[in-house]
Amino acid sequence: MKRIREFAVLAAALALVVAACGDDSDGDGETLACDVGQIDGTTLNFYNWSEYMDPDLIAAFEAEFSVDVVESFYESNEAMLAQLQSGVAYDLVVPSDYMIKIMIDEGLLHALDKDALANYGNLAEDFRTQPYDPNGDYSVAYQYGTTGLGVNLEAVGEYFVESWALVFDPEITQHFAGGVSVLNDPRETMGAALEYLGYSLNDTTLEHLEEATQLIKDAKAYITTFDSDQYDENLVNGEVAVAHGYSGNMIVAMSEADDPDNFVYVLPEEGATLWIDNMAIPTVSNAPCTAHTFIDFLLDAENGAALTNWNYYGSPNEAATPFIEQEVVDFYAGTATANLEVITDTGDYEINFTDKLAEAKS
């Protein structure tokens, strides 16, 4: 994901998380013991969403701690999980809310040594514990945001219904030059289809998921790409008329377009996703203390603000708020009344989302 937040939004956002998520966690990852600022490896393998980290922050960390940060990217939580399950050694990952619970349950995450996080107190109180990690033992909130639709007004027109119909109704999308794009992400795209049909994005009725699969199949003629990486650029370059994607990415791309007023980001009336991404250290990490030092670096107030001012996603770093651009603060305040839902771990049912998106795409 890429790039906006305000504490007026926070209460509403977290209330949704609490309402939507499960209860306790019982991960059995080994508890680490690190010192503040400790480096136990000169390379940090950082596995992250694309365009989600300010390269200047990477450079500053490398210079201060003499560490080489190697950043790799994934398109979905499921893709990241598969890599870790196959044994690929990453030192730091950025899973979304529901995926933290799955990874804890599978013993894939180290319990954190909070004594090594001198800036942990900068994290807003409401972000320190979540239903997917009740004691905050395994994860530190990184950024939060929403998933909605970016719209090219020249292609779609000034007046349109703010609905998932903009990507799933062929009677509408057939008129869009370039078609539309949807995320290559099982929970987001199957969730959007479920919401358009009137169900929860966490619905676990297989019959409903079949309906969602058929909806995507029927819409596919005008879905140009299933893409989680270039959708924002494709939107502002005019290659697609509507793009399904993450709030920060959309806002940055639109603000940098030749004609920013030609684009809007909307949250469909049927409902959209609210998510919280988190920093976590896999048990396969070769440099877990270096990973702690990097987390602590990002928890610094000015570094936390620099991250949000670069990627335009909401910051859970309360101490960073005075340094965050007002435009970003205002944007997230504007989402407080939206119809939002958090993706939760559905346990063994999860595989059905992955399988059905693959079927819909084939």
Side-chain angles (χ1 to χ4, degrees):
M1 301 182 193
K2 304 178 205 174
R3 318 178 188 204
I4 294 184
R5 160 182 152 89
E6 203 227 13
F7 287 95
V9 176
L10 185 58
L14 295 180
L16 284 168
V17 174
V18 170
C21 291
D23 49 1
D24 56 351
S25 316
D26 55 0
D28 55 1
E30 177 187 353
T31 301
L32 295 166
C34 301
D35 296 326
V36 174
Q38 182 178 345
I39 299 300
D40 59 354
T42 56
T43 299
L44 180 76
N45 288 302
F46 184 24
Y47 199 27
N48 195 4
W49 301 86
S50 66
E51 301 183 64
Y52 206 19
M53 169 55 69
D54 182 350
D56 289 345
L57 284 172
I58 295 282
F61 179 80
E62 290 179 324
E64 181 174 349
F65 293 98
S66 299
V67 168
D68 182 23
V69 178
V70 178
E71 200 172 12
S72 305
F73 306 102
Y74 51 85
E75 286 197 342
S76 71
N77 284 292
E78 289 71 19
M80 178 272 298
L81 177 65
Q83 286 290 295
L84 291 179
Q85 288 172 326
S86 71
V88 179
Y90 293 105
D91 300 308
L92 186 65
V93 294
V94 187
S96 302
D97 29 52
Y98 74 100
M99 185 54 68
I100 287 288
K101 178 71 165 60
I102 292 172
M103 296 174 76
I104 293 172
D105 288 348
E106 292 195 16
L108 293 173
L109 297 180
H110 276 303
L112 302 173
D113 181 358
K114 293 180 185 172
D115 289 340
L117 303 176
N119 294 315
Y120 189 80
N122 288 343
L123 196 63
E125 185 71 30
D126 288 337
F127 277 106
R128 296 184 191 182
T129 60
Q130 293 294 333
Y132 52 82
D133 186 6
N135 299 312
D137 291 334
Y138 296 87
S139 62
V140 174
Y142 177 78
Q143 299 285 83
Y144 78 88
T146 59
T147 312
L149 296 174
V151 179
N152 180 328
L153 298 177
E154 183 178 0
V156 173
E158 293 284 340
Y159 304 101
F160 58 88
V161 178
E162 297 182 2
S163 164
W164 289 115
L166 291 172
V167 290
F168 293 135
D169 185 346
E171 293 298 317
I172 295 175
T173 58
Q174 66 177 312
H175 301 293
F176 297 162
V180 303
S181 70
V182 296
L183 290 170
N184 187 28
D185 184 299
R187 291 304 308 271
E188 290 284 8
T189 295
M190 297 309 302
L194 285 166
E195 287 188 312
Y196 181 53
L197 293 169
Y199 307 124
S200 164
L201 57 75
N202 296 307
D203 188 294
T204 55
T205 303
L206 196 53
E207 179 182 338
H208 297 167
L209 194 61
E210 294 281 3
E211 291 179 47
T213 305
Q214 189 60 49
L215 177 76
I216 298 171
K217 287 180 177 178
D218 293 342
K220 203 167 59 176
Y222 304 102
I223 295 177
T224 305
T225 62
F226 290 84
D227 169 39
S228 298
D229 188 30
Q230 300 295 318
Y231 58 87
D232 47 348
E233 289 90 346
N234 290 339
L235 175 71
V236 298
N237 291 335
E239 296 182 29
V240 296
V242 179
H244 176 205
Y246 306 111
S247 52
N249 293 31
M250 293 292 193
I251 301 308
V252 170
M254 292 173 185
S255 66
E256 295 175 350
D258 292 338
D259 181 9
D261 292 340
N262 188 45
F263 302 93
V264 294
Y265 172 76
V266 299
L267 295 170
E269 60 187 13
E270 298 91 350
T273 306
L274 168 74
W275 46 260
I276 301 172
D277 288 337
N278 308 268
M279 297 177 279
I281 302 175
T283 52
V284 295
S285 169
N286 293 317
C289 291
T290 302
H292 273 78
T293 298
F294 189 75
I295 293 171
D296 199 44
F297 177 81
L298 292 181
L299 285 172
D300 171 83
E302 294 192 33
N303 290 341
L307 178 60
T308 278
N309 288 334
W310 186 82
N311 68 22
Y312 280 16
Y313 284 115
S315 175
N317 188 333
E318 187 170 22
T321 304
F323 307 105
I324 296 175
E325 296 172 14
Q326 192 61 42
E327 172 194 10
V328 180
V329 172
D330 292 345
F331 174 84
Y332 280 101
T335 66
T337 58
N339 180 15
L340 299 174
E341 190 174 9
V342 175
I343 296 175
T344 63
D345 172 25
T346 61
D348 293 341
Y349 191 84
E350 285 290 317
I351 189 64
N352 291 310
F353 292 104
T354 301
D355 289 348
K356 289 302 177 184
L357 180 61
E359 178 185 333
K361 290 164 56 180
S362 64

